[in-house]
């Protein structure tokens, strides 16, 4: 088991995008008994491929409702896989912490595996979304490959036991030393620019190995998302433009001892909620693959990236599922006999986790009401960085006389940008009340900092057997001081 067991119970859980080529262009165990059983009410996440498929999707969701790991029960308490979050708070360190559901991670991977049935494929988990070693080991055990955007993520993937031949090294600024490691390990490497190709060639020479490469083509498809998470527009820093494609094909031919072109790759962005966008991009990429193959290259892989969005608002919105995503490109992949690579991060890990906090106090300034908590932008920066919305709720029922009001939920960091949520209607909480920020599994802990010397928090998960284990130690002040010892 990962880490030490902290809490357990005996509750049994239910299973539930034709451009011509132009020549010569410009040369990323403390035990606590539970006395309560959860009355679980699984939240249905219905999915659609397009408007005409909506009715079918709704019917499917009724047959197999989406089981979410965090559920507010009729008793007013928030549960994770049948465990009261309030009770977990009482059994762990008294500081903000991340709480995951291991079973939910499994369910999310299974949704992709089931959707990919009948296709030769690689589920390449995007390590940048969450780099917890225990979570990576679990994803590897479930058959995932890994998507890497730095040398250290490559090292971590190897430490977690991932098969290098199921790993893809992305990024627009990969450095030579990391590329040598990638060449030695035998991972796929995406070519993102002229200088990137030069560095990959040099790395192959130094490693004495031929590198399997994919061309990352910028398809100029608008993913209709926040500009900070859009990666497939023509002005993006990522990928190569189609008018430069012939130059790259000629360069690969010139370096046949170092490079083997095996595929094409694109990535549109993140938090995408319209799968037709993936269809547009895949159509473009299939066209490019046809043209590349016509020049004698044995291209067997199509990598359509990741970026599937989730219901951060907990509004019951009809959002696409992994099956909707795969089904929208399935016929294109099969028609060319391709191996499909997908790069999910958020849709595998985001909804498996909450950031758990305690209320420090409530205050009013002018026309604004504030709930001040011990967590902050240091632990969870997405709202401050992207103005992202993440659902917030209290972990226990409010007193009957608690007045409902509209609050900004803020932390103690000395920045006006330090907020976890704005304009949230909540019962006025008492000091010490538990408060969670939902869907915190992706791009939260991996982007955490020690600003204001708020040390990065511990992480726990609920195991398959209902026990709770620590899966990352929280950082301490002593950890910070160690960086200066012996200087």
């Amino acid at each position: 088991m990962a880490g030490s067991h902290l809490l357990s119970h005996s509750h049994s859980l239910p299973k539930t995008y034709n451009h011509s080529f132009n020549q010569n262009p410009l040369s990323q165990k403390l035990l606590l008994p539970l006395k309560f059983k959860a009355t679980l009410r699984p939240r249905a996440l219905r999915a659609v491929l397009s408007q005409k498929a909506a009715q079918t999707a709704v019917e499917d969701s009724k047959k197999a409702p989406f089981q979410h790991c965090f559920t507010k029960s009729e008793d007013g308490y928030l549960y994770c896989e049948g465990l009261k979050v309030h009770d977990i708070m009482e059994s762990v360190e008294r500081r903000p912490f991340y709480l995951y559901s291991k079973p939910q991670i499994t369910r999310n991977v299974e949704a992709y595996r089931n959707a990919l049935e009948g296709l030769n494929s690689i589920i390449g988990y995007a390590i940048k979304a969450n780099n917890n070693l225990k979570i990576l080991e679990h994803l590897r055990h479930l058959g995932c490959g890994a998507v890497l955007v730095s040398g250290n993520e490559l090292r971590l993937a190897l430490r977690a036991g991932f098969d290098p031949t199921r790993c893809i090294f992305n990024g627009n600024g990969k450095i030579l030393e990391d590329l040598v490691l990638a060449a030695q390990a035998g991972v796929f490497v995406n070519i993102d620019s002229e200088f990137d190709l030069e560095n990959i060639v040099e790395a192959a020479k130094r490693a004495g190995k031929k590198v399997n490469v994919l061309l990352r083509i910028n398809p100029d498809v608008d993913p209709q998302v926040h500009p900070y998470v859009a990666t497939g527009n023509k002005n993006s820093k990522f990928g190569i433009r189609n008018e430069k494609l012939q130059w790259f094909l000629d360069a690969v031919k010139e370096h046949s001892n170092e490079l083997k072109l095996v595929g094409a790759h694109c990535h549109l962005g993140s938090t995408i909620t319209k799968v037709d966008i993936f269809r547009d991009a895949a159509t473009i990429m299939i066209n490019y693959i046809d043209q590349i193959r016509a020049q004698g290259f044995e291209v067997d892989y199509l990598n359509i990236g990741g970026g599937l969005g989730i219901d951060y608002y907990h509004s019951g919105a009809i959002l696409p599922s992994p099956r909707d995503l795969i089904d929208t490109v399935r016929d294109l992949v099969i028609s060319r006999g391709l191996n499909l690579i997908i790069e999910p991060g958020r849709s595998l890990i985001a909804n498996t986790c909450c950031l758990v906090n305690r209320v420090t106090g409530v205050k009013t300034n002018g026309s604004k009401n504030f709930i001040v908590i011990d967590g902050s932008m240091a632990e969870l920066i997405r709202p401050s960085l992207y103005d992202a919305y993440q659902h917030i709720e209290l972990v226990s029922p409010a007193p009957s006389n608690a007045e409902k009001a509209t609050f900004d939920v803020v932390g103690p960091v000395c920045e006006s940008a330090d907020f976890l949520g704005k304009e949230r209607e909540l019962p006025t909480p008492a000091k010490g009340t538990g408060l969670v920020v939902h869907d915190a599994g992706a791009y939260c802990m991996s982007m955490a900092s020690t600003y204001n010397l708020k040390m990065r928090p511990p992480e726990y998960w609920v195991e398959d057997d209902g026990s709770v284990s620590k899966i990352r130690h929280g950082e301490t002040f002593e950890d910070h001081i160690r960086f200066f010892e012996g200087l």
Side-chain angles (χ1 to χ4, degrees), residues 194-205:
E194 294 90 342
F195 66 79
D196 196 35
L197 184 147
E198 292 170 4
N199 283 334
I200 297 167
V201 169
E202 179 60 26
K205 290 177 179 177

Side-chain angles (χ1 to χ4, degrees), residues 116-129:
L116 287 161
E117 188 174 358
L119 295 177
N120 293 322
S121 62
I122 296 175
I123 302 173
Y125 168 70
I127 288 181
K128 63 179 182 163

Side-chain angles (χ1 to χ4, degrees), residues 141-252:
H141 175 73
L142 293 172
C144 292
V147 174
L148 326 159
V149 292
S150 73
N152 281 336
E153 286 191 353
L154 172 52
R155 293 177 180 90
L156 186 61
L158 296 176
R159 177 71 66 90
F162 282 95
D163 179 353
T165 65
R166 295 174 63 80
C167 294
I168 305 93
F169 192 14
N170 290 340
N172 69 303
K174 302 181 287 291
I175 63 174
L176 181 57
E177 292 80 3
D178 293 343
L179 285 168
V180 171
L181 177 59
Q184 291 170 337
V187 306
F188 292 106
V189 180
N190 274 330
I191 299 175
D192 192 88
S193 65
E194 294 90 342
F195 66 79
D196 196 35
L197 184 147
E198 292 170 4
N199 283 334
I200 297 167
V201 169
E202 179 60 26
K205 290 177 179 177
R206 294 191 184 187
K209 290 187 175 183
K210 184 180 288 192
V211 179
N212 289 323
V213 295
L214 294 85
L215 289 176
R216 178 166 180 171
I217 301 173
N218 184 320
D220 192 17
V221 171
D222 182 3
Q224 302 174 35
V225 297
H226 191 287
Y228 286 7
V229 293
T231 59
N233 297 324
K234 66 180 179 181
N235 293 321
S236 170
K237 73 176 185 177
F238 298 103
I240 64 176
R241 292 293 295 136
N242 62 287
E243 62 266 21
K244 297 182 178 182
L245 183 55
Q246 188 61 53
W247 184 94
F248 283 93
L249 295 177
D250 291 343
V252 171

Side-chain angles (χ1 to χ4, degrees), residues 287-364:
N287 184 31
Y288 288 141
I289 286 174
D290 286 346
Q291 297 180 57
I292 294 168
R293 283 177 168 177
Q295 296 194 38
F297 292 99
E298 296 179 3
V299 173
D300 297 320
Y301 291 90
L302 171 61
N303 185 337
I304 62 170
L308 194 63
I310 68 165
D311 183 15
Y312 277 110
Y313 284 84
H314 287 209
S315 63
I318 297 174
L319 294 179
S321 69
R323 183 170 296 280
D324 297 319
L325 168 57
I326 303 306
D327 283 352
T328 199
V329 301
R330 179 182 296 275
D331 62 324
L332 294 173
V333 173
I334 292 174
S335 72
R336 300 305 191 275
L338 292 165
N339 300 288
L340 180 65
I341 301 174
I342 56 170
E343 303 179 347
R346 184 188 317 275
S347 56
L348 280 182
I349 199 70
N351 70 357
T352 71
C353 174
C354 283
L355 175 65
V356 185
N357 313 269
R358 282 183 171 82
V359 173
T360 303
V362 177
K363 65 183 292 186
T364 299

